[in-house]
Amino acid sequence: MTARDGERTRETILAAAEELFAGRGFEGTSMQQIGKAAGVARSTAAYFFGSKRALYEAVLARAVARAEDAMARAYAEGEEHRTSEDAVESYVGALLDFLGRDHTFVRLIQREALGDGSRVAEFFDRPVADAVAALAPAAEQAGIPPQRLVLDLVALCWYPFAHERTVMPALGIDARDPAFLDEQKRHLGSLVRALTRQGSERRSHDSDHVATTSG
Protein backbone atom coordinates (compact mmCIF):
# COMPACT_ATOMS: atom_id res chain seq x y z
CA MET A 1 0.00 0.00 0.00
CA THR A 2 1.40 3.37 -1.00
CA ALA A 3 1.30 6.41 1.32
CA ARG A 4 -1.44 7.89 -0.85
CA ASP A 5 -3.49 4.70 -0.69
CA GLY A 6 -3.00 4.60 3.06
CA GLU A 7 -4.22 8.18 3.50
CA ARG A 8 -7.21 7.51 1.25
CA THR A 9 -8.12 4.41 3.28
CA ARG A 10 -7.70 6.31 6.55
CA GLU A 11 -10.04 9.08 5.36
CA THR A 12 -12.60 6.53 4.16
CA ILE A 13 -12.58 4.88 7.59
CA LEU A 14 -12.93 8.26 9.35
CA ALA A 15 -15.87 9.28 7.16
CA ALA A 16 -17.66 5.96 7.69
CA ALA A 17 -16.98 6.06 11.43
CA GLU A 18 -18.31 9.61 11.72
CA GLU A 19 -21.60 8.68 10.04
CA LEU A 20 -22.04 5.70 12.36
CA PHE A 21 -20.99 7.48 15.55
CA ALA A 22 -23.30 10.39 14.72
CA GLY A 23 -26.21 8.05 14.02
CA ARG A 24 -25.71 5.34 16.65
CA GLY A 25 -23.38 6.83 19.24
CA PHE A 26 -20.09 5.43 20.50
CA GLU A 27 -21.58 2.47 22.36
CA GLY A 28 -23.90 1.55 19.51
CA THR A 29 -21.13 1.36 16.93
CA SER A 30 -18.66 -1.47 16.47
CA MET A 31 -15.37 -1.67 14.61
CA GLN A 32 -16.96 -4.43 12.51
CA GLN A 33 -19.72 -2.04 11.41
CA ILE A 34 -17.20 0.69 10.66
CA GLY A 35 -15.08 -1.63 8.57
CA LYS A 36 -18.12 -2.82 6.62
CA ALA A 37 -19.32 0.75 5.99
CA ALA A 38 -15.83 1.76 4.85
CA GLY A 39 -15.49 -1.29 2.62
CA VAL A 40 -12.49 -2.64 4.53
CA ALA A 41 -11.86 -5.42 7.02
CA ARG A 42 -12.34 -4.78 10.74
CA SER A 43 -8.63 -5.43 11.17
CA THR A 44 -7.85 -2.62 8.72
CA ALA A 45 -9.67 -0.06 10.87
CA ALA A 46 -7.86 -1.41 13.91
CA TYR A 47 -4.53 -1.25 12.05
CA PHE A 48 -4.94 2.46 11.30
CA PHE A 49 -6.38 3.57 14.65
CA GLY A 50 -5.61 0.87 17.19
CA SER A 51 -8.94 0.96 19.04
CA LYS A 52 -12.50 2.17 18.72
CA ARG A 53 -11.84 4.85 21.35
CA ALA A 54 -8.83 6.19 19.43
CA LEU A 55 -10.84 6.19 16.21
CA TYR A 56 -13.70 8.02 17.93
CA GLU A 57 -11.36 10.70 19.24
CA ALA A 58 -9.87 11.09 15.75
CA VAL A 59 -13.41 11.56 14.40
CA LEU A 60 -14.16 14.24 16.99
CA ALA A 61 -10.90 16.07 16.31
CA ARG A 62 -11.55 15.93 12.54
CA ALA A 63 -15.09 17.29 12.93
CA VAL A 64 -14.03 20.17 15.18
CA ALA A 65 -11.15 20.97 12.81
CA ARG A 66 -13.69 21.38 9.99
CA ALA A 67 -15.63 23.86 12.09
CA GLU A 68 -12.48 25.69 13.10
CA ASP A 69 -11.38 25.99 9.48
CA ALA A 70 -14.77 27.36 8.41
CA MET A 71 -14.76 29.95 11.20
CA ALA A 72 -11.13 30.96 10.62
CA ARG A 73 -12.01 32.04 7.10
CA ALA A 74 -14.81 34.20 8.51
CA TYR A 75 -12.41 35.95 10.90
CA ALA A 76 -10.01 36.76 8.06
CA GLU A 77 -12.55 38.38 5.71
CA GLY A 78 -11.85 42.13 5.50
CA GLU A 79 -10.52 42.12 9.03
CA GLU A 80 -8.77 45.49 8.88
CA HIS A 81 -11.82 47.47 7.73
CA ARG A 82 -14.83 45.79 9.32
CA THR A 83 -16.88 47.15 12.20
CA SER A 84 -17.72 45.15 15.32
CA GLU A 85 -21.18 44.48 13.85
CA ASP A 86 -19.56 43.25 10.62
CA ALA A 87 -17.48 40.82 12.67
CA VAL A 88 -20.61 39.43 14.31
CA GLU A 89 -22.43 39.06 10.99
CA SER A 90 -19.40 37.33 9.47
CA TYR A 91 -19.22 34.94 12.44
CA VAL A 92 -22.94 34.15 12.39
CA GLY A 93 -22.96 33.71 8.62
CA ALA A 94 -20.01 31.33 8.66
CA LEU A 95 -21.42 29.29 11.55
CA LEU A 96 -24.88 28.94 10.02
CA ASP A 97 -23.42 28.04 6.62
CA PHE A 98 -21.19 25.41 8.21
CA LEU A 99 -23.96 23.85 10.30
CA GLY A 100 -26.28 23.96 7.31
CA ARG A 101 -23.99 21.95 5.05
CA ASP A 102 -22.35 19.63 7.60
CA HIS A 103 -24.95 16.95 8.26
CA THR A 104 -23.12 14.96 10.95
CA PHE A 105 -21.40 17.63 13.04
CA VAL A 106 -24.36 18.63 15.21
CA ARG A 107 -25.52 15.05 15.80
CA LEU A 108 -22.01 13.95 16.69
CA ILE A 109 -21.45 16.76 19.18
CA GLN A 110 -24.97 16.47 20.61
CA ARG A 111 -24.37 12.82 21.40
CA GLU A 112 -21.04 13.62 22.98
CA ALA A 113 -22.61 16.38 25.11
CA LEU A 114 -24.96 13.84 26.70
CA GLY A 115 -22.08 11.85 28.18
CA ASP A 116 -20.78 12.17 31.72
CA GLY A 117 -17.28 13.04 30.60
CA SER A 118 -15.70 14.00 27.31
CA ARG A 119 -12.51 15.21 25.67
CA VAL A 120 -14.53 17.25 23.21
CA ALA A 121 -14.18 20.38 25.38
CA GLU A 122 -10.42 20.22 24.79
CA PHE A 123 -11.00 20.29 21.03
CA PHE A 124 -13.21 23.37 21.41
CA ASP A 125 -10.73 25.40 23.50
CA ARG A 126 -9.10 27.15 20.55
CA PRO A 127 -12.24 27.79 18.43
CA VAL A 128 -14.03 29.26 21.44
CA ALA A 129 -11.05 31.46 22.36
CA ASP A 130 -10.92 32.71 18.75
CA ALA A 131 -14.65 33.53 18.83
CA VAL A 132 -14.36 35.39 22.13
CA ALA A 133 -11.50 37.50 20.74
CA ALA A 134 -13.28 38.22 17.43
CA LEU A 135 -16.55 39.27 19.08
CA ALA A 136 -15.05 41.17 22.04
CA PRO A 137 -15.48 44.65 20.42
CA ALA A 138 -19.20 44.05 19.77
CA ALA A 139 -19.66 42.68 23.29
CA GLU A 140 -17.96 45.73 24.75
CA GLN A 141 -20.27 48.01 22.77
CA ALA A 142 -23.27 46.03 24.01
CA GLY A 143 -22.00 46.15 27.60
CA ILE A 144 -21.91 42.38 28.05
CA PRO A 145 -19.04 39.88 28.51
CA PRO A 146 -17.76 38.47 25.18
CA GLN A 147 -18.24 34.95 26.53
CA ARG A 148 -21.92 35.71 26.96
CA LEU A 149 -22.24 37.03 23.42
CA VAL A 150 -20.53 33.94 22.00
CA LEU A 151 -22.81 31.68 24.05
CA ASP A 152 -25.97 33.46 22.91
CA LEU A 153 -25.00 33.48 19.23
CA VAL A 154 -23.87 29.85 19.18
CA ALA A 155 -27.09 28.81 20.94
CA LEU A 156 -29.27 30.66 18.44
CA CYS A 157 -27.34 29.23 15.49
CA TRP A 158 -27.20 25.71 16.92
CA TYR A 159 -30.80 25.24 18.06
CA PRO A 160 -32.48 24.92 14.64
CA PHE A 161 -30.12 22.10 13.64
CA ALA A 162 -30.23 20.35 17.01
CA HIS A 163 -34.03 20.26 16.65
CA GLU A 164 -34.43 19.92 12.91
CA ARG A 165 -36.42 16.69 13.46
CA THR A 166 -38.42 17.84 16.50
CA VAL A 167 -39.39 21.48 17.07
CA MET A 168 -38.56 22.80 13.60
CA PRO A 169 -41.03 20.58 11.67
CA ALA A 170 -43.73 21.53 14.20
CA LEU A 171 -43.01 25.16 13.32
CA GLY A 172 -43.14 24.36 9.62
CA ILE A 173 -39.48 25.33 9.16
CA ASP A 174 -36.73 23.43 7.36
CA ALA A 175 -33.51 24.31 9.22
CA ARG A 176 -31.43 23.73 6.08
CA ASP A 177 -33.60 25.79 3.75
CA PRO A 178 -31.36 28.55 2.29
CA ALA A 179 -34.20 31.06 2.70
CA PHE A 180 -34.44 30.28 6.42
CA LEU A 181 -30.66 30.50 6.83
CA ASP A 182 -30.57 33.91 5.15
CA GLU A 183 -33.42 35.14 7.35
CA GLN A 184 -31.71 33.80 10.47
CA LYS A 185 -28.50 35.63 9.56
CA ARG A 186 -30.41 38.89 9.18
CA HIS A 187 -32.34 38.29 12.39
CA LEU A 188 -29.25 37.65 14.51
CA GLY A 189 -27.45 40.60 12.93
CA SER A 190 -30.38 42.85 13.86
CA LEU A 191 -30.36 41.54 17.43
CA VAL A 192 -26.69 42.35 17.88
CA ARG A 193 -27.04 45.79 16.31
CA ALA A 194 -29.87 46.51 18.74
CA LEU A 195 -27.69 45.38 21.66
CA THR A 196 -24.74 47.51 20.63
CA ARG A 197 -27.00 50.52 20.03
CA GLN A 198 -28.61 50.13 23.46
CA GLY A 199 -25.18 49.81 25.03
CA SER A 200 -23.99 53.01 23.37
CA GLU A 201 -27.14 54.88 24.40
CA ARG A 202 -26.78 53.63 27.98
CA ARG A 203 -23.17 54.76 28.19
CA SER A 204 -24.08 58.14 26.70
CA HIS A 205 -26.88 58.54 29.23
CA ASP A 206 -24.58 57.59 32.09
CA SER A 207 -21.98 60.09 30.90
CA ASP A 208 -24.57 62.86 30.67
CA HIS A 209 -25.83 61.99 34.14
CA VAL A 210 -22.33 62.12 35.61
CA ALA A 211 -21.65 65.46 33.88
CA THR A 212 -24.95 66.92 35.18
CA THR A 213 -24.32 65.67 38.70
CA SER A 214 -20.77 66.95 38.70
CA GLY A 215 -21.90 70.35 37.41
Side-chain angles (χ1 to χ4, degrees):
M1 180 184 294
T2 66
R4 180 175 297 178
D5 289 338
E7 184 60 28
R8 188 181 299 115
T9 299
R10 186 178 187 278
E11 284 299 309
T12 299
I13 293 169
L14 281 168
E18 182 171 327
E19 287 285 346
L20 287 168
F21 286 138
R24 304 181 181 184
F26 177 78
E27 297 299 335
T29 301
S30 69
M31 291 292 272
Q32 182 71 34
Q33 290 168 336
I34 292 169
K36 182 177 180 180
V40 299
R42 179 192 183 283
S43 58
T44 303
Y47 169 79
F48 277 94
F49 295 95
S51 67
K52 185 172 79 166
R53 172 60 62 179
L55 174 53
Y56 180 64
E57 291 183 355
V59 164
L60 288 177
R62 177 175 176 263
V64 174
R66 289 200 306 269
E68 188 175 7
D69 182 59
M71 301 314 295
R73 289 196 295 272
Y75 301 143
E77 290 175 359
E79 187 172 2
E80 65 279 7
H81 301 299
R82 65 183 178 181
T83 65
S84 58
E85 288 86 355
D86 290 338
V88 170
E89 291 181 359
S90 181
Y91 178 83
V92 166
L95 183 54
L96 284 171
D97 286 343
F98 170 71
L99 296 176
R101 68 174 179 267
D102 197 302
H103 289 260
T104 59
F105 182 81
V106 172
R107 296 177 71 194
L108 185 68
I109 302 303
Q110 287 281 107
R111 285 187 176 278
E112 184 65 11
L114 294 174
D116 294 330
S118 170
R119 282 192 54 201
V120 75
E122 298 176 22
F123 299 131
F124 275 104
D125 281 345
R126 179 176 170 181
V128 169
D130 288 344
V132 168
L135 303 185
E140 183 179 0
Q141 280 186 267
I144 60 176
Q147 293 85 354
R148 178 71 207 199
L149 181 57
V150 171
L151 175 61
D152 290 346
L153 291 176
V154 170
L156 291 169
C157 290
W158 188 273
Y159 188 91
F161 301 102
H163 289 277
E164 66 175 316
R165 293 179 177 85
T166 54
V167 176
M168 299 301 282
L171 293 172
I173 299 173
D174 176 0
R176 300 182 189 276
D177 182 352
F180 166 73
L181 294 178
D182 287 343
E183 192 279 331
Q184 187 73 342
K185 292 172 189 177
R186 291 192 297 271
H187 176 62
L188 296 183
S190 297
L191 286 178
V192 172
R193 284 192 295 274
L195 282 173
T196 56
R197 184 169 59 250
Q198 288 172 6
S200 298
E201 290 172 353
R202 184 169 57 251
R203 286 191 299 275
S204 177
H205 177 271
D206 291 345
S207 297
D208 290 344
H209 178 71
V210 170
T212 301
T213 303
S214 300

